[in-house]
């Protein structure tokens, strides 16, 4: 009798172990599947031409989302899956929206969304200003910072990493195209090109930016934001043989 009870007890333990192992395996498979199904995809903005008079003009569908506030200026991000290559934003006239979607999420993230194509700078007096006259793919922004009591380095201007040309003629704006570094005032005005073919940029001290440039011979630059001075850093390696 005791042997029978011992056998049943051991059998139950084995069955329990098998069941737990099976459960863990199924959960792990589901987790890995979800992980790969939701893997990151780089931004990709389709370029469309609505200039043809024989086709129905379809205005760009934007999603407007609050991004940040600098001094008296509210910054809103405009994102879209496509860009009309003939559409321009002239000055402060921004009346070409086709029933734009408005995100009700007011959480301020440190980064732009994947398909950011423009930024709108708004004051409470009703003044509006678009960063880009023609939409592009805005990959990154570093906001101006004037207060010494905030974390990080001081920055007199906004910095932007933008792709605004289909340099590989793919019909899309994506990370395979050449990126450019721009500056503007904190309220999005006086947009100015700093350098093309950017690999990355990093603020390394107050108003001092280190920039890497792509190409056959990658280069490094130091950029002084306050004076808009760009200096090439000589990182060439000289070798000799005896």
């Amino acid at each position: 009798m005791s042997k029978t009870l011992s056998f049943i007890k051991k059998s139950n333990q084995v069955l329990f172990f098998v069941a737990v192992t099976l459960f863990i395996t199924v959960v792990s498979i589901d987790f890995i599947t979800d992980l790969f199904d939701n893997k990151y995809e780089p931004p990709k903005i389709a370029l469309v031409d609505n200039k043809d008079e024989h086709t129905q003009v379809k205005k760009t569908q934007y999603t407007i989302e609050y991004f940040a506030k600098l001094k008296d200026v509210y910054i809103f991000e405009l994102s879209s899956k496509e860009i009309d290559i003939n559409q321009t934003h002239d000055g402060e006239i921004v009346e070409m929206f086709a029933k734009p979607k408005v995100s009700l999420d007011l959480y301020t993230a440190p980064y732009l969304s994947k398909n950011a194509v423009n930024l709108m700078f708004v004051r409470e007096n009703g003044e509006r200003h678009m960063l880009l006259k023609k939409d592009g793919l805005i990959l990154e922004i570093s906001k101006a910072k004037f207060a010494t009591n905030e974390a990080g380095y001081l920055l007199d201007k906004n910095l932007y990493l933008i792709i605004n040309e289909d340099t590989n003629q793919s019909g899309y704006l994506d990370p395979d195209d050449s990126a450019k570094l721009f500056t503007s005032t904190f309220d999005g005005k006086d947009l100015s090109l700093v350098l093309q073919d950017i690999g990355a940029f990093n603020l390394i001290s107050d108003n001092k930016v280190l920039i890497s440039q792509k190409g056959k011979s990658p280069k490094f630059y130091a950029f002084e934001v306050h004076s808009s001075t760009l200096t090439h850093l000589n990182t060439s390696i000289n070798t000799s043989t005896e």
Side-chain angles (χ1 to χ4, degrees), residues 1-146:
M1 183 69 178
S2 60
K3 290 183 179 180
T4 302
L5 292 175
S6 176
F7 174 77
I8 293 174
K9 184 177 180 181
K10 290 181 179 180
S11 299
N12 289 337
Q13 290 176 343
V14 170
L15 291 174
F16 177 76
F17 175 77
V18 171
V20 170
T21 302
L22 182 61
F23 174 77
I24 294 174
T25 301
V26 171
V27 170
S28 299
I29 292 174
D30 288 342
F31 175 77
I32 294 173
T33 301
D34 290 340
L35 182 64
F36 281 98
D37 286 343
N38 297 299
K39 64 182 180 180
Y40 170 77
E41 293 183 2
K44 191 174 184 179
I45 310 295
L47 299 176
V48 298
D49 186 352
N50 288 325
K51 194 174 182 180
D52 190 347
E53 297 179 356
H54 299 289
T55 61
Q56 183 179 1
V57 176
K58 179 183 178 182
K59 294 182 179 181
T60 301
Q61 177 68 66
Y62 294 103
T63 297
I64 304 177
E65 185 168 8
Y66 172 69
F67 177 67
K69 185 175 183 290
L70 284 176
K71 293 188 175 181
D72 63 335
V73 175
Y74 298 84
I75 304 176
F76 292 88
E77 169 197 318
L78 276 67
S79 59
S80 179
K81 295 181 180 180
E82 62 181 24
I83 291 175
D84 182 349
I85 61 175
N86 299 300
Q87 176 177 281
T88 60
H89 305 272
D90 297 321
E92 296 175 2
I93 303 174
V94 203
E95 305 299 342
M96 63 285 295
F97 300 133
K99 295 182 180 179
K101 299 178 182 177
V102 176
S103 173
L104 301 180
D105 184 4
L106 297 181
Y107 170 74
T108 55
Y111 307 106
L112 296 168
S113 66
K114 186 173 68 173
N115 291 336
V117 298
N118 218 325
L119 295 174
M120 183 193 297
F121 296 79
V122 180
R123 282 187 163 91
E124 292 184 3
N125 63 5
E127 177 188 341
R128 295 171 296 173
H129 176 78
M130 300 293 288
L131 177 68
L132 302 176
K133 184 176 181 180
K134 298 190 71 172
D135 292 336
L137 174 57
I138 306 177
L139 298 174
E140 188 175 345
I141 176 177
S142 289
K143 303 186 300 293
K145 188 177 80 68
F146 306 103

Side-chain angles (χ1 to χ4, degrees), residues 140 142 159 200-205 208-212:
E140 188 175 345
S142 289
L159 301 174
F201 72 92
N202 187 30
L203 189 64
I204 57 175
S205 63
K208 179 75 74 172
V209 182
L210 183 63
I211 307 170
S212 64

